[in-house]
Amino acid sequence: MKFLLKPLAVAIALVSTPSFAAGTILGELGSLNASTAGAGSAAISEGAESAFSNPAAMSLVEKSTLTGSLQAFDLNIEYQDSGSYGNFGGGTDGGNAGSVTPLGSVYWVNPLSDKWAFGLALASQGGASVDYGDDWRGASLISSIDLVTVQVNASVSYKLNDQWAVGIGLVSEYASLVQTQQFTPNIGAEYEAGSVEFGVNLGLHYSINEDHMLGLTVRSGLDHTLEGDVNLDRNGNGGIYDASLGLVSPAIVKLSGYHGLTDKFALLWSLDWQDWSKNQSSVLILDDSGRQVNVDRNWDDTYSASLGMHYQLTNQWRLEFGVGYESSPLSDSFDDAFNQYPDLPVDQIIRIGTGATYQVSDDFSVNFFVEYLDLGSPEISYDGIADSRLQGSYNNDAAIAGISMNWVF
């Protein structure tokens, strides 16, 4: 059985870490601003979501506020082969490997005085659920993968004066990963692991006046070490091996603005940077043997920009819209096809969001939102063992739909 350990270790190390790729770090999931494609999230606080998006903006909340959200994340991953050979020469293209994932979040902000506010947030910036099936060409690299991340943020803000406020949040993130691989029809493996890491979320908010506001946030990176077991199955026999895998959640810096240009129309924008260049390699360790596998990534930092608007249609209804762009952690050069992996191939992202807010009463409002994400058409050219190559291209997109409700007490 030892002859399987090396290819198993290499395969897991090659395909696991990118599942936390740029395509799954979707800040609008936690900040509840998918209707504007992420624009304005650090500058405004219309409910309690600022406990996650910018702790300094909690200073804008005047009364105890509770916000809840239910969402559905629909991920579509379509692979088309273009000449795979060797060990990847047989099998299917896998169909649509994506799935629909239900998500939810809860936020609470409570002003403690005219200067201090406290907030809690339970939310996620994303995850992935990908299933190609056991009979697709690259099943020896990955058959399926499920990644779940959940963050708990406890935050405080302090209002320095009528214009400036600062905030800090302590972040606890849980990550869970389950991945399966099918090396041959009779030999497969499952890797299951989890990790908890801690970080900080810093915020700064500046109110020029009630119609013009700016916000800046800095979220620290989180370096997970997912510890768990590799379960090897060979014709019903096999073994369980301790293993650990590194997983990168990047540091994020975001600058946002809100500008009420008329009584009915407001402009929102955001710029951000994500520290994906930290993801230069992946490390997998099989604890029982001490074997360590290092895999080069060669990722770049990513940058994004979004522009959105609010239009007050009536006293109760407001319409929202936004567009955004995010660069790829891999450039457009041909060589970067060799750095793609089939767990979640990455490319540039184009966002289009829309929605509406209905003010039911002074103390209760409901927001409906939909966002479409074009995840690009990345190419993959992975060289395996024994003169094998997985070669093809992807057509990927996703959609987010949801509802959030806001109560003021």
Side-chain angles (χ1 to χ4, degrees), residues 123-368:
S124 173
Q125 292 193 98
S129 182
V130 178
D131 189 353
Y132 290 96
D134 293 340
D135 59 349
W136 94 285
R137 298 173 185 272
S140 61
L141 300 177
I142 176 175
S143 296
S144 66
I145 186 168
D146 288 286
L147 174 69
V148 176
T149 66
V150 178
Q151 285 193 3
V152 177
N153 285 207
S155 307
V156 294
S157 69
Y158 180 72
K159 193 172 184 179
L160 300 172
N161 52 45
D162 289 339
Q163 292 183 304
W164 290 97
V166 295
I168 182 172
L170 300 180
V171 178
S172 173
E173 181 176 79
Y174 170 73
S176 173
L177 176 69
V178 178
Q179 178 183 303
T180 63
Q181 294 164 266
Q182 196 67 35
F183 302 107
T184 72
N186 299 320
I187 303 175
E190 180 179 87
Y191 176 56
E192 184 172 358
S195 171
V196 176
E197 285 297 322
F198 301 92
V200 296
N201 180 21
L202 305 177
L204 181 67
H205 191 270
Y206 178 62
S207 297
I208 301 171
N209 53 49
E210 62 180 10
D211 292 323
H212 297 276
M213 297 178 288
L214 301 173
L216 175 68
T217 62
V218 179
R219 300 186 75 90
S220 65
L222 301 173
D223 294 331
H224 285 276
T225 300
L226 295 168
E227 296 183 347
D229 298 322
V230 175
N231 188 345
L232 183 63
D233 183 1
R234 187 184 184 191
N235 289 321
N237 299 310
I240 299 177
Y241 306 91
D242 293 334
S244 62
L245 176 70
L247 193 70
V248 174
S249 179
I252 303 172
V253 178
K254 181 182 290 290
L255 177 66
S256 299
Y258 170 87
H259 307 282
L261 302 181
T262 70
D263 291 341
K264 292 183 177 294
F265 181 78
L267 185 69
L268 300 87
W269 57 269
S270 287
L271 302 170
D272 76 26
W273 163 84
Q274 298 186 17
D275 185 21
W276 281 117
S277 62
K278 188 175 183 179
N279 192 26
Q280 290 298 299
S281 64
S282 303
V283 179
L284 175 112
I285 300 175
L286 290 175
D287 295 333
D288 61 336
S289 66
R291 186 188 304 278
Q292 179 171 313
V293 180
N294 293 279
V295 179
D296 291 336
R297 289 294 175 193
N298 300 315
W299 279 24
D300 299 324
D301 293 340
T302 62
Y303 302 86
S304 70
S306 55
L307 184 65
M309 54 81 72
H310 288 170
Y311 182 75
Q312 196 69 43
L313 186 64
T314 68
N315 289 335
Q316 290 182 296
W317 283 100
R318 186 184 70 192
L319 305 181
E320 300 150 14
F321 179 77
V323 295
Y325 171 83
E326 182 175 333
S327 64
S328 171
L330 294 172
S331 68
D332 295 328
S333 68
F334 174 79
D335 289 343
D336 284 322
F338 295 95
N339 291 321
Q340 294 279 10
Y341 297 97
D343 59 342
L344 189 61
V346 294
D347 201 352
Q348 65 184 17
I349 301 174
I350 297 174
R351 294 175 164 90
I352 301 175
T354 189
T357 296
Y358 179 61
Q359 192 70 40
V360 181
S361 66
D362 290 341
D363 299 329
F364 180 64
S365 63
V366 182
N367 176 255
F368 309 91

